[in-house]
Amino acid sequence: MKQIKAIIERASDGNYSVYMDADNLDYLVTGTGKTVDEAIESFKAGYEDTKRFYEEENRKFEEVTFNYEYDIASFLSYFTKAFSLAGLSRITGINQGQLSHYVTGRRTPSQKTIKKIQNSVHAFAHELEQVHFA
């Protein structure tokens, strides 16, 4: 099954959107919501609606799986359920105030900073994978 990138972004009005980054399909799906979870659910519902529509029209529907990619504001907002900005600051080495600016959209991180956040989060996740309980 083909894997398609689904981009999660926070809009200037504070809402979130999810959209497919695919030029090689006969359809595109988007979703929006007040939270990342709502936007993802809207996106998934749109995918299922599109699939149903194709079936009703007796059209070939190419099923795909999605790899979600977040913009920094969406990631920081969404994962605050697991990480505080103070904790992310310790993990990434980026000042908590600066992270707060990224969450609110007052500032946009450079590509270098985005890569630093991504690498730090992946390294932390790898550390967590090594944890075993007796």
Side-chain angles (χ1 to χ4, degrees):
M1 193 174 301
K2 188 184 294 186
Q3 292 190 342
I4 301 295
K5 190 185 311 182
I7 309 296
I8 301 169
E9 292 183 339
R10 195 174 114 213
S12 59
D13 66 0
N15 288 315
Y16 295 88
S17 65
V18 182
Y19 61 90
M20 294 171 60
D21 185 18
D23 296 336
N24 55 350
L25 292 173
D26 292 340
Y27 62 92
L28 291 175
V29 178
T30 62
T32 59
K34 292 182 181 190
T35 65
V36 171
D37 285 329
E38 282 182 15
I40 290 172
E41 286 306 311
S42 171
F43 177 77
K44 288 178 179 178
Y47 176 79
E48 292 301 321
D49 287 345
T50 302
K51 182 178 173 181
R52 240 183 330 275
F53 173 77
Y54 270 62
E55 289 171 357
E56 289 170 2
E57 297 290 315
N58 291 319
R59 294 174 58 190
K60 183 179 186 300
F61 181 81
E62 183 178 356
E63 290 197 53
V64 297
T65 58
F66 297 103
N67 293 322
Y68 294 98
E69 291 191 10
Y70 296 80
D71 70 353
I72 291 298
S74 297
F75 168 80
L76 293 173
S77 177
Y78 183 67
F79 283 96
T80 55
K81 64 183 178 187
F83 299 106
S84 66
L85 290 182
L88 280 171
S89 178
R90 286 189 293 275
I91 290 168
T92 63
I94 297 171
N95 179 288
Q96 183 177 345
Q98 192 66 31
L99 291 172
S100 177
H101 288 304
Y102 299 153
V103 171
T104 62
R106 279 180 263 163
R107 294 211 177 117
T108 304
S110 67
Q111 283 303 114
K112 181 179 176 183
T113 302
I114 290 170
K115 194 70 170 165
K116 181 178 182 179
I117 293 170
Q118 181 174 303
N119 289 342
S120 300
V121 169
H122 286 176
F124 181 70
H126 181 71
E127 285 180 41
L128 288 177
E129 287 178 343
Q130 306 309 310
V131 173
H132 298 281
F133 298 106

